[in-house]
Amino acid sequence: MSKLSAGHYFVVLPMVMLFASLASAQSTISGQVRDSSGAVMAGVKVEAASEALIERSRTETTNENGRYTIVDVRPGLYTITFTLPGFSTVKQEVTVPANVTVPVDAEMTVGAVGETVTVEARVATVDVDTTLRPQVLTRTDMDALPTARNPQSMGSYTPGVHLNLPDVGGSQQIEQTYLISHGNPSSRDTYLLDGMMVNTTQNDGQIQIYIDNALMQEVTYNNANNSVEVTGGGVVANFVPRDGGNEPHGNLFLGWIPSRFVGHNIDQALRNRGVTGQSAVQRIEDFDGVLDGPFKKDKLWFVLSGRKQLTFVQAANSFYLDGKPGVERSYIYSGGFRLTYQINSKNKFAAMWTRDWKTKEQDVVTGGQVADVNPLVSSLERRPKMYYVLQGRWTGTLTPRLLVQSGATLTKLDYNILYHPGVGKVPFTPEWFANAQQLDQSLNARSIAGAVNTYAKYDRYLWNSSATYVTGSHQFKFGIQDTFGIAQVDNVANGDAIYQYTNGVPLSIQAYNTPTYIKNRLNHDLGIYATDTWHINRLSVTAGVRWEYLSAQVDPESAPAGRFTGPRNFPKIDCSVIKGLSCFKTWSPRIGFVYDVFGDHKTAVKAGIGKFNSPIAAGVVTNFNPMTLKSQTIQWLNRPTTACQSHDPIGCYPHGNGFGDIDIGPNPNPRFGQINGVNLDPNFHREYQWQYNVGVQRELRRGVTMNFIWFHGANYQAIHVDNYAVPSSAWTPFTIYNPLDGTPITVFNLQPAYFSLPPNLRQTNAPQSLRSNVYNGYESSVNARLPHGAFVLAGWTIDRTRDRGCDMNTDPLSTALNDPNSLRYCDQNGKLYQELGRIVGIPYRNEFKLQTNVPVKWGIEVNASLYSDPVFSTNYNVNALSPSNPAQAGAVLAGQVQGYKTVLWQLTPSVRYPADCNCPNPGGVVDAGMTQGAETITLVPPGSRLTPRLNQLDLGFRKVFHIRERFTMMGEAQFFNVINSNAVLTESYTLGSSIKPYVAGAPGGVPTAVFNPRMMRLNLQFKF
């Protein structure tokens, strides 16, 4: 299939409008009409009217089974009117959230002409048509709850969802956080704006554009039974934008946290662990407003929004030259504009543009959670580039039974992360060699310069169309979607290296293949799907299938010579060059069952089974792209005696020699920076997951619903690379001793005869017997919508992920060795290779979420949010520092989400045992025969040491003032981290010259990030 250029993009769009759009923001109203005897009634006219519809109303007629379905309903308050000559007219009001099917039944009685029966307003709580379980936040909810008001922070309170970094009062509002749910990494999440995907091409879609909170009318988060309209099985977040209306409306939010509203939470225990600085907010501002209304009533509506977000965060263990703590100063300015045009009674068109300008002056907090010796030189800065979403969508209600939609979106994400002025040096000058970043792994501190510089450009185009047809007891939907774009990244660095230390003592050199100019391209991510929902008495069945075609390539690339690699010129690489490289064609069937137990829409048993492909943008070509940024640990000869930790803002020269090319040992990867030919298995397949769940949903009382659900998921066909040039017999076992407890550890050294052999690589799918990732979870939740606007959303989840990564996978762009050292602790099921490292058991861990808002009296409301979850172990890794022994993504994710601590021991041929080790040879050389150059040995079993719980309680109190009925003003004080938790979020896991921090019962490494302390935000909201 040929790829579409940007120039052809909007030319092709009208041609596809006869087909089918990705899951949109709209809901469905459906039900059954009976007479007073219980007999079904055909031919009843059903009208749904609302100010939320620019066309004002939708009409349908019941079929021979008395059923009706009204699709494409936007969130809002609806009046449902049932009419039939000879019967009393029935009216019922219902509030419709986004992305659900709302059951509205009616009973009609014989009556006089003009007689109307009005039914009391009701809130739909049990969806007896679909297996979806979305968490819905209305505009009122978002305004009331004490959160950071960004999509990830709000979504983290969904049961079963974990947030990788806590967001206290907006402390993370400038930097994206990520949602992980039911064993699915954030790369499997889908973000929709007005029903169209806005995931970028970065990290296979993990990164999104910042969406202005004021632009949203409603947000839904679904993490169970995703339909065939999306690829991934993770969280589906749907941002429903405001449409406008026939009357002008406005909403202004002003939130402010000055430094004097921020407390302190560093205690003596943290000081004893080496914390000398406070990680805390200095200032947060969130100014957000929206104005909407009609350009022409019932014809053309508009929405205009703007937002300023400012966050100044003080970093722990980072100081300026005058002794003041390092501060990360960040800003985002956003703007949005939307038009909704009712072309005629059957056709509507909506267009939207949203733009962000992002600045970060020093990345002393988000730049890797490390301490900075001098933030003015050792951090990086980010300046505004080009972030925006541009989209348009047509909706045609061609008949009461046929709805057609078609849309297009361009999501653009361009940014640069660079050294501060004066830090970058001219390549191959003495200053360039000496001013590479220095990183002390034991102190987790960086100096001299920031990390590798990045120039990034990510464009993703999308078009989609769908058709929904309702007939009898069936609701059919057919759709097609395609996305394509670029993922281009340039990287440069001083010295093409990072000089690594441990407690100030030089250790090794991390060499990079910079400069690199990566040009990956997504040709097609095409999905064609069909789904049908039908009713068999009380049983509702939704079955669907999705066919996908995925094609990506590497565009021609070239780069000049670097310090560790020569000049490079590479041709285009695609599936015509390497057979089987992407060009995947796959099927994803999914089915869900809902049984209305008593036929009263109050108790439903739900079950779902589905296959989900791992979302891919361009990551599938990484193993075949010779320009991909790579690093290699190299021995450091003629090392300087101490680290350079000068505070000179223009850089520094370490004492003594040791930074030239003559001071570097041999590269264990002689083909570093070159392409390794990889033979692809002709039967190579795309990675996928099967997910299962069964649960019960019960309405306990009016507006109060309880859910219980069991989840199970498993991953299949992960990528595996073998190097047949180096067999398992090429490795010699050698016994070393765990410095923490003296137990013997078997490590494997590469025999010299096999060092630097040209690799013979083959990429295939890992066998399930050696590579698996299995999730099990149990979840209960309560959703209560109570009188007078009170609500309670709560959930409790207990879950566990067990990973097995015993296939000795390797990195084809590095040393490409299938390293048996990766077999230590490789099986969290406790079965394989336990003689190399025994795992006793992987514990279940649990999380609890609560959000509520309760009106009290006199316009006073009390609101609260509680997030209780194990600390996300951001720094958890397994063998991540050994290029021949890459970390397995499943094991890393399992450890991060479940809060595992670890202790990593980086070995080179010259490393010695710590002087205070519990071992036979304190101070002696550990393994002088490590021909492969470096290994990272995990010293404690996964799951044996756990992070503490993170308990974040936020409270708010607000007073509501109504002025002349049309105007509302709210003053509010919100208190974040009320209990002043000081949980350690990240800490050093690398063993240094002493074992004291890491022995059993010791607190652990030096903390580099601590939970933000208690703070208060003052808010003012104005609505009309």
Side-chain angles (χ1 to χ4, degrees):
M1 300 182 71
S2 61
K3 59 179 181 291
L4 298 173
S5 67
H8 295 108
Y9 184 52
F10 291 99
V11 175
V12 174
L13 175 60
M15 301 170 59
V16 302
M17 287 187 174
L18 294 178
F19 298 100
S21 129
L22 189 63
S24 63
Q26 288 74 18
S27 294
T28 297
I29 299 174
S30 68
Q32 193 172 41
V33 182
R34 298 175 181 268
D35 63 19
S36 56
S37 69
V40 298
M41 298 182 65
V44 177
K45 179 181 177 182
V46 185
E47 180 190 60
S50 174
E51 292 293 327
L53 299 175
I54 193 171
E55 66 271 38
R56 307 304 292 271
S57 66
R58 297 274 173 77
T59 303
E60 177 62 283
T61 303
T62 58
N63 62 18
E64 65 276 7
N65 297 315
R67 291 190 175 276
Y68 73 94
T69 301
I70 302 175
V71 297
D72 189 36
V73 175
R74 293 192 66 83
L77 179 64
Y78 283 77
T79 300
I80 314 299
T81 304
F82 302 85
T83 57
L84 184 69
F87 290 82
S88 299
T89 298
V90 176
K91 285 190 176 183
Q92 181 171 336
E93 285 191 333
V94 60
T95 299
V96 178
N99 295 109
V100 297
T101 297
V102 179
V104 181
D105 296 341
E107 179 181 304
M108 303 187 72
T109 59
V110 176
V113 176
E115 183 179 358
T116 299
V117 177
T118 301
V119 180
E120 184 182 356
R122 55 162 293 182
V123 177
T125 55
V126 176
D127 183 349
V128 295
D129 280 356
T130 71
T131 55
L132 298 178
R133 295 175 175 85
Q135 176 92 308
V136 180
L137 294 178
T138 67
R139 180 70 261 168
T140 301
D141 298 342
M142 289 185 277
D143 288 338
L145 292 170
T147 68
R149 295 172 58 86
N150 64 59
Q152 288 79 14
S153 174
M154 295 186 300
S156 69
Y157 291 92
T158 303
V161 172
H162 305 271
L163 190 66
N164 70 315
L165 280 174
D167 196 340
V168 182
S171 56
Q172 291 292 324
Q173 66 178 348
I174 304 297
E175 196 68 24
Q176 288 194 5
T177 51
Y178 304 107
L179 303 178
I180 301 97
S181 177
H182 299 150
N184 291 290
S186 54
S187 59
R188 297 177 192 163
D189 295 346
T190 304
Y191 288 82
L192 309 174
L193 179 61
D194 198 21
M196 291 184 284
M197 186 176 72
V198 290
N199 298 64
T200 69
T201 55
Q202 184 174 2
N203 294 1
D204 283 332
Q206 182 187 41
I207 311 298
Q208 306 84 40
I209 299 296
Y210 299 86
I211 306 298
D212 185 354
N213 181 278
L215 193 63
M216 305 176 197
Q217 177 185 348
E218 198 160 286
V219 181
T220 66
Y221 299 91
N222 188 73
N223 59 344
N225 298 305
N226 293 343
S227 75
V228 294
E229 298 170 54
V230 298
T231 296
V235 177
V236 177
N238 192 9
F239 311 130
V240 184
R242 301 167 72 114
D243 255 354
N246 282 329
E247 298 293 333
H249 294 88
N251 190 348
L252 177 65
F253 174 88
L254 304 174
W256 179 57
I257 302 176
S259 59
R260 64 179 178 274
F261 289 179
V262 181
H264 302 276
N265 62 353
I266 300 300
D267 57 17
Q268 190 58 47
L270 290 175
R271 295 188 187 97
N272 293 341
R273 294 182 62 182
V275 176
T276 57
Q278 166 76 338
S279 178
V281 167
Q282 282 202 341
R283 185 171 63 171
I284 293 178
E285 294 176 1
D286 187 357
F287 303 153
D288 199 3
V290 64
L291 177 67
D292 64 49
F295 282 137
K296 184 176 182 181
K297 289 188 175 183
D298 298 329
K299 196 69 175 178
L300 181 62
W301 293 351
F302 76 90
V303 180
L304 178 66
S305 72
R307 187 179 194 183
K308 174 192 174 183
Q309 296 169 277
L310 175 151
T311 301
F312 290 177
V313 179
Q314 179 179 303
N317 300 335
S318 183
F319 299 92
Y320 296 111
L321 301 181
D322 59 4
K324 293 182 179 179
V327 176
E328 180 169 300
R329 295 174 173 85
S330 305
Y331 321 79
I332 294 179
Y333 294 89
S334 304
F337 184 65
R338 176 178 171 86
L339 288 174
T340 303
Y341 177 51
Q342 188 70 34
I343 302 170
N344 52 41
S345 61
K346 294 185 177 181
N347 295 280
K348 180 174 67 176
F349 181 79
M352 183 163 50
W353 171 84
T354 179
R355 173 81 157 88
D356 298 323
W357 291 263
K358 179 177 178 179
T359 300
K360 186 184 298 180
E361 295 181 1
Q362 290 112 29
D363 67 342
V364 295
V365 176
T366 58
Q369 300 291 354
V370 295
D372 286 279
V373 174
N374 178 7
L376 294 178
V377 297
S378 58
S379 65
L380 297 173
E381 66 178 23
R382 187 173 188 150
R383 296 297 177 184
K385 288 294 290 183
M386 189 66 71
Y387 288 38
Y388 69 79
V389 176
L390 177 65
Q391 64 178 208
R393 191 176 68 172
W394 163 76
T395 301
T397 310
L398 305 185
T399 73
R401 296 182 179 274
L402 177 62
L403 172 75
V404 179
Q405 296 178 318
S406 191
T409 296
L410 167 58
T411 302
K412 189 172 185 62
L413 177 65
D414 297 350
Y415 62 86
N416 297 337
I417 303 177
L418 308 175
Y419 292 138
H420 297 293
V423 174
K425 305 300 180 183
V426 177
F428 300 103
T429 63
E431 294 83 1
W432 183 77
F433 284 107
N435 281 271
Q437 182 184 94
Q438 297 191 8
L439 179 65
D440 193 307
Q441 295 183 348
S442 293
L443 302 177
N444 207 22
R446 62 183 179 182
S447 58
I448 308 302
V452 176
N453 285 205
T454 300
Y455 300 81
K457 184 175 183 180
Y458 299 97
D459 295 348
R460 189 164 196 166
Y461 298 86
L462 173 146
W463 62 263
N464 60 36
S465 293
S466 69
T468 302
Y469 185 70
V470 180
T471 178
S473 298
H474 293 265
Q475 181 179 327
F476 300 98
K477 189 169 188 178
F478 308 90
I480 182 171
Q481 169 200 340
D482 193 17
T483 77
F484 54 93
I486 59 173
Q488 298 182 356
V489 181
D490 301 341
N491 296 114
V492 296
N494 279 353
D496 290 341
I498 292 178
Y499 300 127
Q500 298 177 334
Y501 295 76
T502 177
N503 286 323
V505 177
L507 177 65
S508 59
I509 294 176
Q510 194 76 10
Y512 285 89
N513 62 333
T514 46
T516 58
Y517 301 95
I518 303 165
K519 296 183 178 180
N520 293 331
R521 181 180 297 275
L522 173 65
N523 295 324
H524 292 286
D525 182 8
L526 175 68
I528 301 174
Y529 61 86
T531 184
D532 182 23
T533 298
W534 68 96
H535 299 85
I536 308 170
N537 298 321
R538 297 178 185 176
L539 178 67
S540 174
V541 181
T542 299
V545 64
R546 180 181 179 91
W547 181 84
E548 293 184 338
Y549 173 74
L550 190 287
S551 171
Q553 71 177 46
V554 181
D555 287 342
E557 300 169 328
S558 62
R563 181 179 181 182
F564 302 99
T565 184
R568 290 144 291 172
N569 290 282
F570 303 113
K572 181 179 76 171
I573 302 172
D574 61 10
C575 62
S576 66
V577 177
I578 300 177
K579 299 299 182 182
L581 176 62
S582 73
C583 298
F584 299 120
K585 299 175 182 179
T586 55
W587 293 92
S588 295
R590 299 168 201 174
I591 189 168
F593 303 91
V594 182
Y595 183 68
D596 187 354
V597 178
F598 302 109
D600 58 1
H601 304 326
K602 291 186 177 182
T603 304
V605 176
K606 300 186 176 186
I609 304 172
K611 178 188 175 187
F612 299 86
N613 290 316
S614 293
I616 296 173
V620 69
V621 301
T622 299
N623 281 355
F624 300 86
N625 188 342
M627 196 72 76
T628 300
L629 180 67
K630 284 296 173 182
S631 65
Q632 176 69 49
T633 301
I634 299 177
Q635 285 184 274
W636 195 347
L637 308 177
N638 305 317
R639 296 175 290 181
T641 55
T642 60
C644 173
Q645 296 182 350
S646 166
H647 287 275
D648 187 341
I650 63 171
C652 72
Y653 294 92
H655 294 290
N657 298 316
F659 295 92
D661 286 340
I662 61 173
D663 305 306
I664 298 175
N667 193 323
N669 179 12
R671 295 179 57 81
F672 183 64
Q674 303 178 48
I675 186 169
N676 287 324
V678 181
N679 299 306
L680 193 63
D681 183 345
N683 295 315
F684 179 70
H685 299 288
R686 184 175 178 178
E687 184 182 49
Y688 67 90
Q689 302 80 41
W690 277 101
Q691 297 182 7
Y692 313 82
N693 60 79
V694 178
V696 178
Q697 192 173 37
R698 169 66 182 172
E699 184 179 292
L700 302 179
R701 52 165 291 181
R702 187 166 196 162
V704 181
T705 305
M706 185 171 183
N707 299 272
F708 177 80
I709 186 169
W710 165 76
F711 292 94
H712 177 81
N715 192 66
Y716 298 87
Q717 297 186 164
I719 294 175
H720 173 81
V721 178
D722 269 319
N723 182 1
Y724 287 93
V726 182
S728 58
S729 60
W731 298 85
T732 301
F734 181 78
T735 300
I736 65 173
Y737 296 91
N738 190 327
L740 302 183
D741 58 18
T743 56
I745 298 175
T746 300
V747 297
F748 296 88
N749 295 331
L750 183 66
Q751 298 174 20
Y754 293 93
F755 179 74
S756 75
L757 286 180
N760 177 15
L761 300 175
R762 182 174 185 265
Q763 178 170 307
T764 184
N765 297 109
Q768 200 69 11
S769 60
L770 296 179
R771 178 95 73 87
S772 63
N773 188 270
V774 178
Y775 171 86
N776 273 291
Y778 304 88
E779 188 173 291
S780 60
S781 63
V782 174
N783 188 319
R785 298 286 177 173
L786 305 173
H788 311 296
F791 64 87
V792 177
L793 311 174
W796 178 75
T797 305
I798 180 169
D799 56 6
R800 177 178 69 178
T801 300
R802 292 191 294 182
D803 186 81
R804 173 181 288 167
C806 302
D807 56 324
M808 292 194 297
N809 187 34
T810 191
D811 183 348
L813 299 177
S814 187
T815 53
L817 299 173
N818 298 109
D819 192 339
N821 289 292
S822 66
L823 299 178
R824 179 172 169 81
Y825 300 134
C826 69
D827 187 6
Q828 296 179 5
N829 299 290
K831 295 181 179 179
L832 302 181
Y833 300 103
Q834 296 302 291
E835 69 278 7
L836 298 179
R838 186 166 179 262
I839 300 177
V840 176
I842 297 297
Y844 277 90
R845 302 204 75 182
N846 68 89
E847 53 96 13
F848 178 74
K849 313 287 179 61
L850 171 68
Q851 290 187 297
T852 184
N853 183 72
V854 180
V856 186
K857 276 188 176 182
W858 310 294
I860 297 175
E861 298 179 3
V862 179
N863 47 69
S865 295
L866 173 62
Y867 181 97
S868 178
D869 204 2
V871 169
F872 189 92
S873 187
T874 303
N875 285 358
Y876 179 80
N877 232 324
V878 182
N879 305 319
L881 301 178
S882 302
S884 63
N885 186 3
Q888 304 297 343
V892 172
L893 180 71
Q896 290 177 334
V897 173
Q898 295 172 130
Y900 298 165
K901 287 187 175 185
T902 190
V903 182
L904 301 176
W905 194 17
Q906 187 179 2
L907 299 181
T908 66
S910 60
V911 166
R912 296 177 178 271
Y913 286 102
D916 60 350
C917 77
N918 296 312
C919 59
N921 188 22
V925 174
V926 178
D927 184 3
M930 188 169 286
T931 310
Q932 63 269 33
E935 292 286 354
T936 300
I937 304 300
T938 304
L939 298 180
V940 298
S944 62
R945 300 185 183 184
L946 303 175
T947 60
R949 292 196 69 82
L950 174 64
N951 295 310
Q952 179 179 345
L953 174 62
D954 305 328
L955 295 175
F957 304 88
R958 69 174 178 173
K959 169 67 176 173
V960 181
F961 301 90
H962 297 288
I963 307 171
R964 296 183 180 178
E965 296 185 359
R966 178 165 174 74
F967 301 95
T968 301
M969 186 170 65
M970 290 167 280
E972 184 171 28
Q974 292 179 334
F975 301 87
F976 297 93
N977 189 13
V978 171
I979 63 175
N980 208 31
S981 168
N982 64 352
V984 173
L985 303 181
T986 60
E987 59 187 73
S988 173
Y989 288 150
T990 303
L991 181 69
S993 58
S994 174
I995 68 169
K996 289 181 180 179
Y998 300 110
V999 295
V1006 177
T1008 54
V1010 178
F1011 192 47
N1012 278 296
R1014 182 188 300 120
M1015 64 186 72
M1016 180 177 71
R1017 181 172 71 189
L1018 295 181
N1019 302 333
L1020 181 65
Q1021 294 187 59
F1022 180 75
K1023 297 182 179 183
F1024 67 89

